Amino acid sequence: MLALFTDTPDLNVRPLTIRATGRRAALVYLEGLTDKNSINNDILKPLLQNVEDGCETTSVTVGRLNRMRRWIDIQSAVLQGSSILFVDGAADAQVHGTEGWPQRAIEDPQVETSLKGAHQGFVETLDQNIALIRRYLPHRNLKIKEQRVGRRSDTRICTVYLDDVANMDTLAQIEGRIGKIDIDVIINSGELSELIEDDPYSPFPQILLTERPDTAASQIIQGRFVIVVDRSPSVLVAPVSFASFFQSVDDYSTRWSIATFIRLLRFFALLVAIFLPAFYIAVISFNFELIPLRLLLTIGEYRGIVPISPFLEAIFMELTLEMMREAGVRLPAPVGQTVGIVGGIVIGQAVVQAGLISNIMVIVVAFTAIASFILPNFDMVAAVRLLRFFMMIGAALFGIFGIMIGFMILIAHLISLESFGTPFGSPFAPVRFADWKDTMVRIPLWRMRKRPVSTKPAELDRQVAHRTEGEGK
């Protein structure tokens, strides 16, 4: 065993003699990956204690016990936090589940803040994350398929789904893509997402990442699959559509009319975040006839002292905004907020007074930033931030016509994408009216009797008994 782990000072080899049988043994484990209390109380104490009350108590009391013979399996078990008991004369080794690596407590999610939902987020331990999902779905049809990826990390990856609801063809695709991965190490779920998604060259995410167990459970109920990666505080959801990135689990805890308004606001914010700077460039540089005369005179008054073109003006302000955003994220929270607020005010006022940027441009950039903050998914926000620059280039070259070309290319690209066999543009392209009840609008929950058709569920019905129109009046 020592030959397998050279230069490993945290490897403990504890020689002992089993009191009841007198046989020599050795307990092997890694110092920082095991639970010391479990080793002392559940393994060493039963093996070393004396005969009491006329009975020999020699069996260990640890919860999980396996037997292994191959050295490669034993080595992997030690690295995963198990304790190995070698007994003199035995043909195999006893593998005890004593995992106890450092881990943090379950806390409120940092990115996906909860308004009316649960204040629990995933952590970096796979078993705990699966337990959090089981808390929401304590049903025997909740199935888990485990795979291992990474020649050096041997990362556990579990696919969680409802056996009587999910589509088995989609499950075969997910398992097949994960099984084909040949890589040294998988660090987090974001790396896995890039390795198994349909089109890695697209700016749009085709797999949803979430750090909330209630969101994961909600997606499983709809017939989707949740992929849990060990050592990652977020899970993957597949297959998804474009509309999935504008939904939040808090929408179902709010009255349906308010939730519908918020969703429509998100889609409007998407258009503003992508096209507003480009529209400003187009109407100022090419299509100024679209602006009312009085507004045009006001804009011309402020633009008269600006020495650079609207395109360079917009690029400068957008890049400044992106740098302040990144600075605020990387710095500690109190300092980051201060940098974002003070930096925005100071820089905005300074460049306007210096005559480098017009007041109108500062307003446009501020509206664009606010619109991007409304979008609930971080990965989709990142894609929108990138697309904004391409639209600005199109507007600088061809005006409104360039924006229209960019919009048509964007729609064509969205329609062409797929997520594990599910059209990314569904339910708008292809048109599936049955799924419109939970996309841009959110109808009352008691009217949602079917699961989304786009996920191809094995069981389409969600509600057997439902509320009638006149009930409750």
Side-chain angles (χ1 to χ4, degrees):
M1 191 68 183
L2 294 176
L4 295 176
F5 292 92
T6 58
D7 297 329
T8 311
D10 56 341
L11 180 72
N12 282 348
V13 180
R14 173 71 158 79
L16 56 99
T17 300
I18 301 176
R19 176 73 65 180
T21 61
R23 301 173 69 179
R24 298 170 59 194
L27 186 66
V28 180
Y29 58 91
L30 284 172
E31 183 78 24
L33 298 181
T34 52
D35 183 359
K36 293 294 186 62
N37 291 328
S38 178
I39 291 176
N40 293 330
N41 298 327
D42 300 330
I43 300 179
L44 292 178
K45 184 177 179 180
L47 292 176
L48 298 176
Q49 68 183 357
N50 295 320
V51 177
E52 297 179 0
D53 299 329
C55 297
E56 292 184 349
T57 309
T58 60
S59 59
V60 297
T61 57
V62 72
R64 189 173 71 252
L65 172 63
N66 297 317
R67 295 183 182 274
M68 295 182 180
R69 290 192 177 186
R70 298 197 311 162
W71 283 108
I72 187 66
D73 296 333
I74 294 173
Q75 172 185 314
S76 177
V78 171
L79 293 172
Q80 295 293 335
S82 298
S83 299
I84 314 298
L85 181 65
F86 297 95
V87 181
D88 189 19
D92 50 18
Q94 299 179 17
V95 181
H96 302 278
T98 57
E99 294 86 353
W101 48 77
Q103 55 188 346
R104 65 182 174 94
I106 296 173
E107 301 172 346
D108 199 12
Q110 298 298 314
V111 178
E112 299 177 74
T113 56
S114 177
L115 300 178
K116 300 179 70 174
H119 292 269
Q120 288 183 326
F122 288 118
V123 293
E124 288 77 12
T125 304
L126 182 140
D127 293 330
Q128 282 189 289
N129 291 341
I130 292 179
L132 288 171
I133 296 175
R134 281 196 181 277
R135 285 276 294 158
Y136 289 93
L137 297 172
H139 198 275
R140 61 183 176 84
N141 285 329
L142 185 70
K143 305 297 182 181
I144 301 169
K145 291 289 186 70
E146 181 175 326
Q147 296 173 274
R148 291 182 179 267
V149 175
R151 295 191 299 269
R152 298 183 185 274
S153 64
D154 195 30
T155 305
R156 294 171 61 200
I157 298 175
C158 290
T159 304
V160 186
Y161 61 97
L162 283 174
D163 187 39
D164 58 336
V165 173
N167 185 281
M168 293 299 104
D169 292 335
T170 305
L171 175 63
Q173 285 191 53
I174 294 174
E175 290 187 304
R177 295 186 190 182
I178 295 176
K180 292 179 181 178
I181 298 175
D182 185 13
I183 195 171
D184 276 352
V185 176
I186 291 286
I187 299 295
N188 54 49
S189 54
E191 293 183 0
L192 180 66
S193 174
E194 186 173 344
L195 292 171
I196 65 175
E197 64 183 356
D198 288 71
D199 187 356
Y201 296 102
S202 173
F204 293 104
Q206 297 127 58
I207 300 176
L208 180 68
L209 272 76
T210 180
E211 56 182 4
R212 293 181 58 172
D214 49 357
T215 299
S218 175
Q219 298 293 343
I220 291 175
I221 292 173
Q222 296 180 39
R224 296 186 172 94
F225 297 84
V226 168
I227 305 171
V228 187
V229 181
D230 195 15
R231 299 184 287 271
S232 176
S234 58
V235 303
L236 306 177
V237 178
V240 292
S241 64
F242 180 72
S244 301
F245 294 90
F246 297 87
Q247 300 171 354
S248 171
V249 73
D250 287 325
D251 296 344
Y252 306 98
S253 302
T254 309
R255 295 189 59 82
W256 67 271
S257 54
I258 304 300
T260 297
F261 171 74
I262 293 173
R263 286 192 179 179
L264 292 173
L265 187 65
R266 289 172 187 159
F267 280 94
F268 175 74
L270 171 70
L271 298 177
V272 172
I274 295 178
F275 295 107
L276 183 58
F279 181 77
Y280 170 82
I281 295 171
V283 297
I284 295 299
S285 302
F286 292 90
N287 307 98
F288 49 82
E289 67 276 1
L290 298 176
I291 307 176
L293 181 59
R294 295 185 63 181
L295 179 59
L296 181 62
L297 293 175
T298 302
I299 295 175
E301 180 181 352
Y302 290 107
R303 283 270 322 145
I305 61 173
V306 177
I308 58 178
S309 66
F311 173 70
L312 294 179
E313 183 184 15
I315 287 290
F316 172 77
M317 287 302 297
E318 288 294 337
L319 289 177
T320 303
L321 175 66
E322 294 298 326
M323 287 189 290
M324 286 193 298
R325 189 200 304 260
E326 287 300 311
V329 171
R330 307 303 169 195
L331 291 171
V335 180
Q337 295 176 1
T338 303
V339 169
I341 297 173
V342 176
I345 295 175
V346 172
I347 293 177
Q349 184 177 3
V351 294
V352 170
Q353 290 182 350
L356 299 177
I357 302 296
S358 66
N359 286 332
I360 305 298
M361 186 69 247
V362 174
I363 296 173
V364 169
V365 170
F367 271 115
T368 304
I370 293 173
S372 64
F373 295 151
I374 296 175
L375 306 183
N377 184 268
F378 178 81
D379 292 327
M380 183 58 69
V381 171
V384 168
R385 289 160 59 185
L386 180 62
L387 291 171
R388 184 186 306 151
F389 288 95
F390 288 101
M391 293 299 173
M392 290 163 59
I393 294 173
L397 294 176
F398 306 107
I400 294 293
F401 183 66
I403 297 178
M404 295 177 63
I405 292 176
F407 180 73
M408 289 187 291
I409 293 175
L410 186 62
I411 295 298
H413 177 66
L414 286 174
I415 293 174
S416 67
L417 287 177
E418 286 189 349
S419 176
F420 293 93
T422 298
F424 194 65
S426 177
F428 305 109
V431 176
R432 294 187 173 117
F433 290 109
D435 289 352
W436 283 28
K437 62 182 181 295
D438 192 23
T439 50
M440 295 182 67
V441 300
R442 203 275 278 174
I443 66 172
L445 292 175
W446 45 271
R447 295 293 301 272
M448 292 186 188
R449 302 163 190 169
K450 305 290 183 181
R451 292 184 173 87
V453 179
S454 59
T455 61
K456 304 173 186 176
E459 181 182 333
L460 192 60
D461 292 331
R462 291 188 60 181
Q463 298 183 26
V464 177
H466 56 80
R467 165 180 171 154
T468 60
E469 295 289 344
E471 187 178 343
K473 293 184 179 179

